[in-house]
Structures are given as structure tokens and as C-alpha cells.
Amino acid sequence: MDLSSASASQLDFSKLSDYEKRELQQNLQNEMQKAKIQESVHNLTDICWTKCVTKGISSGTLDRTEESCTQNCVERFLDANEAVLKHLEEMRGQGGV
Amino acid sequence: MDSMNDSLSASSDPKTAIIRQIQQEAAINNARQLIDKMNNHCFQKCVPTPGSSLSKKEETCFKLCMEKYMSAWNTVSRQYISRIQRSSAGGNGGFGL
């Protein structure tokens, strides 16, 4: 978010109290986390659409198979992500990396 | 994005202004990302061989596909958020993307 830092220079933060600064920081962190989650949802939808919507488009909703495929897709992708991290950790423990 | 700078200087409270701007920016970013991916996937699905113009059939397909992609997005979002909540409730804060 480089635009936020650009506009931050236009604002006078010296008037803020320490409490307000902490509050602002907390708010910013919340927004960043929200943005990160949304980013992940975009990424997952991209992947799971390719995996689960394999037929032609005949309706504007997911059918039951596609729906449960998508749900499984999200869960398994995150499992896989955890498995990768876990295995990397093991490899590091063995001095493999 | 002049309108954003206007709203920034118009507000006397820099704290509210900066958060509002960041929220606005995140929303735009989010929408852009969705449109981008939707366009890619639905083009893939609905226009297998591009003709000299978009046919009625292709247009109808696009409409359905957009609705379908958004419902996939919502399904993924629900599943992902419930996963995050489950893993943080279980004391296993090791999710990450």
C-alpha cells in the first residue's frame, strides 16, 4: 500500500496523542489483516474454480458437487500448505537445507 | 484519485481520514482483483473460439459465469474464515498463505 504512505505525508501526525497513535496502529493492523485474508480468498477461489468447475456454465450458482468440491478444495489446500511447512521444518531439523 | 485527496483534507481528524482512505483503497483493490479473475475465468469458459463479436450465447454465459464465480468466492470465503477460526480456537495459530 504505497498510496497510504504517500498521503500520510500530507497529514499532521504530531497532533495525535500516544493513545491515538496506538489506536491508529491497531486500526491499520486490522485493515492489513482484512486485506491479507481477502487476498487469500481471491487466490483460493482462483485455484478451486479451476479444480471444481470443470463443466460448461449452465447456471449462476454452484451445484451440490461443485459446492462440496470447493469446500474440500479450500481445506485440502490449507492442509497441503501446513504439510509443506511441516516438512520444511523437518528438513531443517535434519540439516537437509 | 483526486476525490480521495479531497476527502482527506476535508476531514479534520487525520486518524479517521487515513483509515477511511485505506478502507476505500482496499475495497477498490478487492473489486479490481475480483473483476480481473472473473474476466479471465469466464472468458476461458464462455469464449472457447473468439468470433468477430461476442454472440448472444456468449453474453448469457458470461452473466451466469459471473454469478457463479461470485458464489464460488463466497463459498471459499466462508470456508476459509471458518478454518481460521477453528485453527485459532484450537491454539494452533500456524495458518498462513
Side-chain angles (χ1 to χ4, degrees):
Chain A
M1 288 193 206
D2 45 315
L3 236 158
S4 56
S5 58
S7 60
S9 58
Q10 299 163 15
L11 294 164
D12 189 3
F13 285 104
S14 60
K15 287 194 192 111
L16 293 180
S17 68
D18 282 351
Y19 175 76
E20 282 177 313
K21 277 181 193 157
R22 243 176 293 132
E23 200 182 23
L24 181 59
Q25 197 160 25
Q26 186 60 54
N27 284 340
L28 283 175
Q29 257 161 21
N30 289 347
E31 291 304 321
M32 299 250 280
Q33 189 168 21
K34 243 193 281 172
K36 229 160 125 187
I37 289 174
Q38 274 178 344
E39 183 69 42
S40 301
V41 173
H42 282 299
N43 185 31
L44 283 165
T45 309
D46 195 352
I47 291 165
C48 295
W49 173 272
T50 309
K51 287 254 186 232
C52 296
V53 184
T54 50
K55 294 168 289 176
I57 306 292
S58 53
S59 98
T61 53
L62 296 172
D63 66 31
R64 205 179 302 170
T65 327
E66 292 164 339
E67 174 89 20
S68 71
C69 176
T70 305
Q71 288 169 341
N72 287 335
C73 174
V74 172
E75 295 288 342
R76 296 300 78 77
F77 186 89
L78 296 171
D79 285 350
N81 193 46
E82 280 171 19
V84 166
L85 292 176
K86 194 169 156 241
H87 188 55
L88 273 174
E89 194 62 37
E90 284 166 9
M91 286 166 84
R92 199 174 61 160
Q94 291 157 8
V97 180
Chain B
M1 303 203 180
D2 289 338
S3 59
M4 284 188 181
N5 289 330
D6 288 349
S7 71
L8 253 183
S9 48
S11 173
S12 52
D13 179 12
K15 209 158 38 78
T16 322
I18 193 95
I19 288 295
R20 199 174 301 143
Q21 176 174 2
I22 282 167
Q23 281 172 340
Q24 232 168 29
E25 225 146 285
I28 290 171
N29 211 0
N30 193 32
R32 190 168 293 158
Q33 181 107 240
L34 179 67
I35 292 167
D36 230 53
K37 299 218 180 254
M38 210 158 52
N39 210 341
N40 281 348
H41 283 295
C42 293
F43 188 76
Q44 209 78 336
K45 284 261 178 229
C46 296
V47 193
T49 37
S52 57
S53 67
L54 269 189
S55 69
K56 264 259 128 28
K57 202 176 138 221
E58 287 164 343
E59 265 179 53
T60 318
C61 178
F62 251 95
K63 284 177 194 165
L64 289 177
C65 181
M66 284 169 70
E67 284 164 29
K68 197 168 183 138
Y69 195 83
M70 287 188 238
S71 76
W73 201 95
N74 286 330
T75 299
V76 168
S77 176
R78 252 179 280 126
Q79 197 70 31
Y80 183 50
I81 286 167
S82 93
R83 168 85 172 220
I84 292 173
Q85 282 165 348
R86 259 178 289 142
S87 73
S88 61
N92 169 25
F95 75 89
L97 261 181

